[in-house]
Amino acid sequence: MKFRILAVITFLLLSYALYQGMWAAPREATMGEIQRIFYYHVPSAWTSFLCFFANFIASVVYLARRNLKADAFAVSTAEVGVVFCTVVLVTGPLWARPVWGIWWTWDARLTTTLVLWLIYVSYLILRRYSTGQATPTLAAALAIFGFIDVPIVYMSIRWWRTQHPQPVIAGGQGSGLDPRMWQAVLWNWAAFMAFAALLIWVRYRLERARQELDEAHALRAVGQAEGSFTR
Amino acid sequence: MSSLAAVTASNLRKDLRLEWRSKDAVNAMLFFALLVVVIFSFAFDPTAEESRQIAGGLVWVAFLFAAIVALNQAWMRELRNQVLDAYRVSPAPANALFLGKALGNFLFICAVEALLMPLFVVFYNLRSVGPAWQLVPVFLLGTWALVVVGTFFAAISLHTRSREVMLPLILFPISIPALLGMVEATTMVLTGIETPAFWISLLVVYDVVFTTVCLLLFETVLHAE
């Protein structure tokens, strides 16, 4: 029931946010309609960063408590985070091509986001290839490495790139933003957060079901072994 | 503490003796890195000035690939005859095993680098414009950065299918800042345009942070079943 309520709220939020981004927010003076991709790009980025943060917390909790629920939460948040991070990496070049004239530049923020994506994809690959009961522990260790690496990556790439001229992020951030644009960004963020929560929920339930199935299989195998022993 | 040092030393001695008698890791790394050096010179065919610009990248990519060869071998020895299982049930500190292994790998890779650097200099007509002694701390710090995380991740990849493929897939993304630091610092020393101070301190930070994390988490990974 709670799940249905969240699904309905997500649907309503996404619809309203679409209206906010596409119609209510004013047309950007220099970039025109292409700027509206901003309302998807930025909220996706924030959502994915929060997912990765949640993954880190869940990994630490797993290592401390050895609770499989924390592990299920960690895998769900990592997957959803990678999906939103992919959205960021795809919408970015789509916007940059007409505005900057290039698809990609090795600027600090772009490169850091790409490395972030690489780190969490490698986390998911480790989970996929890892065998046996050790998977949650190993994945949690890698998640901690990845999360600690992010500030070092950002620092190094910033220094690497501040040596070179950077494209100016036009019509972008902070105080330069029209209040109606802020409104569109925040509505979209709320909608994307609700959507991410919904996806994490579904994925979490799936992972829990898989864990319970594994457990049942293991118990049955033990029971059979004991049965054959007593016989 | 003294038991940690003692067990680390005996682990290190064992690894060094095994390597001294078989020379498996060092031979494989040497030949592999030599091949990379030759193939790169076909691929880029640089002049002396160009090679000074790109040498930092070439050297480190060659050593990174060579290090993967050695790191993949590192724990295999311990799987034979269930040595690792025996270690798990013994009261010896887990970190001693890790430190011994990491120090051993560090020495092997440093030896390979020392043997191959003259070859790089010859093949690419390298002449350092900046003070060449600065390359020594860069190489020591950079190699430790690769080895400490690499040894840890090699222990992780023991539990996976197709473990040899797994190690680079998890090691490279995490190592990106360290790799950037080594390449930039080496290039700056070779070209002599700027001082590599920032990159050396970045490597120090990376080494300190990840050595700490490895020591904190190794016992958990060793006992993961």
Side-chain angles (χ1 to χ4, degrees):
Chain A
M1 191 59 206
K2 277 186 203 153
F3 181 78
R4 294 228 173 116
I5 295 172
L6 180 63
V8 171
I9 292 175
T10 305
F11 178 76
L12 293 177
L13 271 174
L14 279 171
S15 323
Y16 187 63
L18 180 75
Y19 160 77
Q20 279 285 333
M22 289 298 145
W23 290 280
R27 197 166 177 279
E28 214 273 341
T30 49
M31 286 183 273
E33 304 295 356
I34 184 73
Q35 183 266 342
R36 292 187 192 278
I37 207 166
F38 179 79
Y39 304 124
Y40 295 91
H41 182 74
V42 175
S44 300
W46 291 348
T47 309
S48 79
F49 297 159
L50 273 176
C51 284
F52 294 145
F53 184 65
N55 168 269
F56 171 69
I57 301 289
S59 302
V60 173
V61 169
Y62 176 76
L63 284 185
R65 301 260 173 85
R66 301 289 163 161
N67 186 340
L68 278 176
K69 284 181 183 168
D71 181 60
F73 190 65
V75 71
S76 324
T77 47
E79 279 185 9
V80 175
V82 166
V83 169
F84 278 96
C85 198
T86 311
V87 171
V88 176
L89 288 171
V90 171
T91 50
L94 286 179
W95 172 86
R97 175 68 188 170
V99 175
W100 288 345
I102 42 172
W103 292 108
W104 182 264
T105 169
W106 294 96
D107 146 273
R109 272 198 247 183
L110 276 68
T111 314
T112 309
T113 312
L114 179 65
V115 175
L116 193 67
W117 187 85
L118 291 173
I119 289 174
Y120 282 93
V121 170
S122 81
Y123 170 86
L124 294 180
I125 290 179
L126 175 70
R127 293 202 74 112
R128 176 56 59 85
Y129 277 84
S130 168
T131 47
Q133 304 293 309
T135 311
T137 311
L138 304 178
L142 184 63
I144 290 171
F145 271 84
F147 191 79
I148 291 173
D149 205 31
V150 173
I152 304 180
V153 170
Y154 185 71
M155 212 167 63
S156 66
I157 292 173
R158 232 178 91 150
W159 190 270
W160 180 50
R161 274 308 150 188
T162 41
Q163 318 273 341
H164 304 266
Q166 288 180 35
V168 181
I169 299 174
Q173 299 281 302
S175 58
L177 214 58
D178 187 289
R180 281 171 300 167
M181 288 181 171
W182 260 120
Q183 208 178 327
V185 169
L186 292 178
W187 273 111
N188 270 290
W189 190 33
F192 276 37
M193 286 297 288
F195 189 39
L198 194 70
L199 290 176
I200 291 170
W201 195 328
V202 174
R203 184 64 183 84
Y204 175 80
R205 287 209 303 204
L206 183 64
E207 185 64 18
R208 286 297 293 158
R210 198 195 56 71
Q211 287 172 349
E212 278 158 19
L213 188 66
D214 277 359
E215 239 162 76
H217 274 302
L219 281 178
R220 213 178 77 178
V222 171
Q224 275 172 353
E226 275 176 358
S228 66
F229 186 68
T230 48
R231 236 180 285 140
Chain B
M1 196 62 208
S2 69
S3 98
L4 179 76
V7 182
T8 305
S10 70
N11 266 312
L12 179 62
R13 258 201 310 278
K14 177 212 65 177
D15 272 352
L16 290 180
R17 189 177 302 136
L18 277 172
E19 183 61 32
W20 181 251
R21 291 187 183 159
S22 69
K23 303 192 182 60
D24 279 347
V26 169
N27 278 341
M29 271 196 289
L30 268 180
F31 192 61
F32 189 86
L34 174 68
L35 288 176
V36 174
V37 171
V38 173
I39 286 170
F40 274 171
S41 70
F42 291 145
F44 298 110
D45 194 17
T47 63
E49 187 46 45
E50 282 168 1
S51 63
R52 193 174 297 144
Q53 300 281 341
I54 59 172
L58 295 188
V59 174
W60 280 110
V61 171
F63 291 150
L64 178 66
F65 288 169
I68 291 290
V69 175
L71 291 168
N72 262 329
Q73 301 286 322
W75 294 104
M76 293 298 175
R77 258 175 214 154
E78 313 295 332
L79 287 183
R80 243 176 279 146
N81 304 323
Q82 279 80 43
V83 180
L84 210 55
D85 291 330
Y87 204 97
R88 276 195 198 107
V89 294
S90 81
N95 280 339
L97 178 66
F98 175 76
L99 279 176
K101 196 58 92 183
L103 286 171
N105 285 328
F106 178 70
L107 292 178
F108 303 152
I109 295 173
C110 282
V112 169
E113 287 171 354
L115 288 170
L116 276 179
M117 266 322 267
L119 214 64
F120 256 107
V121 173
V122 171
F123 277 178
Y124 290 94
N125 293 311
L126 281 181
R127 241 194 75 245
S128 172
V129 178
W133 64 265
Q134 287 184 344
L135 287 175
V136 175
V138 172
F139 271 75
L140 292 178
L141 290 168
T143 308
W144 181 252
L146 285 183
V147 163
V148 72
V149 181
T151 307
F152 189 91
F153 283 9
I156 286 186
S157 68
L158 277 182
H159 296 270
T160 60
R161 278 177 281 149
S162 53
R163 35 177 98 112
E164 259 122 63
V165 186
M166 201 60 222
L167 177 61
L169 295 188
I170 54 179
L171 178 60
F172 289 176
I174 301 280
S175 301
I176 284 174
L179 206 64
L180 193 61
M182 303 164 209
V183 172
E184 291 291 306
T186 310
T187 310
M188 280 173 183
V189 174
L190 289 178
T191 54
I193 297 172
E194 286 164 271
T195 144
F198 172 81
W199 294 110
I200 292 181
S201 46
L202 179 89
L203 285 174
V204 171
V205 169
Y206 184 94
D207 284 356
V208 170
V209 167
F210 281 109
T211 307
T212 314
V213 179
C214 286
L215 291 178
L216 286 175
L217 290 178
F218 184 73
E219 193 167 2
T220 314
V221 166
L222 180 71
H223 293 288
E225 259 321 305

